[in-house]
Each structure stands twice: as C-alpha cells, then as structure tokens.
Amino acid sequence: MYVNGFILAVPEANKAAYKEVAEKFWEIVKDYGAKSQIECWEVDVPDGEATDFRRAVQCREGEKIVFSWVTWDDKETADASHDKMMADERMEAFFGDGSDMPFDGKRMVYGGFEPLVWKEA
C-alpha cells in the first residue's frame, strides 16, 4: 500500500466548498486507481511547543486544519496516475485559470508514504 498525505488550512467559512472539492477530486482519483480518500476537518488540534499542524501550513485566524490522505495499491500505481490525472480535463476545475479553490494551495503540505504499521479491529 502507498499513501499520499496532505495537511492544509481552510477558512472555516469554506468548509462546505472544501467538501465539494474533495468529493469531486475523489471522482477523478478513483478513476486512476485510488483505493480510498479520507478528509478530516479539525475538531481538536492543539498548539505545540516547537511545531504543530498550524505552523506547518501557516494557518491564519479563522482557518481550520484539514488532514487528508489517499490510499493506493502501491507507489507505482500512484506515480503512474499522476500525469494521467493532471492531463484529465476534470482537473481544470482545480488547477485551471478559472479555478476557485476554497484554500491556499501554496500552504499545503503533502508527501507520499508507505505504511509502517496498519492495524484495524
């Protein structure tokens, strides 16, 4: 399994708009092999002493943290899907000239991970 993880700050007033964008994104990534997408809205995110989620994304007053991830069978599938997704015309809504994203993508933190421990009940 391979996981693409994301942390971003979203204005609290844009929660519904963010949810809509995330749901549209799922329709694209699943077509290219994603197995799941989880989008989590801040409920209890404490400030840290040295660093924290807010500082990582330069969170501003009135913004909430979103912690999200997309799972894939493996890194090869995730990598192979990237260029295909970016060429998909549906991605224009996210990155095109007319895009109106409900958050500042320049402050998003993201990366790819291989699970080290995965347990479920």
Side-chain angles (χ1 to χ4, degrees):
M1 179 171 293
Y2 187 71
V3 179
N4 288 126
F6 309 87
I7 304 168
L8 52 150
V10 178
E12 193 166 5
N14 291 353
K15 182 178 183 179
Y18 179 81
K19 182 179 183 219
E20 185 178 321
V21 165
E23 289 172 345
K24 288 178 182 176
F25 184 67
W26 169 245
E27 294 304 317
I28 299 169
V29 296
K30 79 174 180 179
D31 287 348
Y32 292 99
K35 297 299 181 185
S36 67
Q37 173 184 341
I38 309 294
E39 300 285 339
C40 304
W41 188 262
E42 173 185 347
V43 172
D44 182 17
V45 179
D47 293 337
E49 289 185 30
T51 191
D52 55 38
F53 282 110
R54 282 184 181 71
R55 284 182 262 196
V57 295
Q58 299 174 0
C59 192
R60 299 176 183 149
E61 185 72 31
E63 291 182 328
K64 294 288 188 177
I65 298 298
V66 169
F67 178 50
S68 117
W69 60 96
V70 176
T71 63
W72 306 85
D73 281 336
D74 50 46
K75 183 178 187 311
E76 293 74 27
T77 302
D79 288 349
S81 74
H82 183 265
D83 289 340
K84 293 174 189 172
M85 284 190 316
M86 294 310 287
D88 189 308
E89 65 185 27
R90 295 174 292 174
M91 292 297 281
E92 277 292 311
F94 303 102
F95 300 108
D97 293 337
S99 71
D100 188 23
M101 296 300 283
F103 63 93
D104 180 359
K106 293 177 184 170
R107 293 186 286 135
M108 178 172 58
V109 175
Y110 60 92
F113 304 86
E114 291 180 354
L116 183 60
V117 175
W118 186 298
K119 300 193 182 268
E120 296 182 44

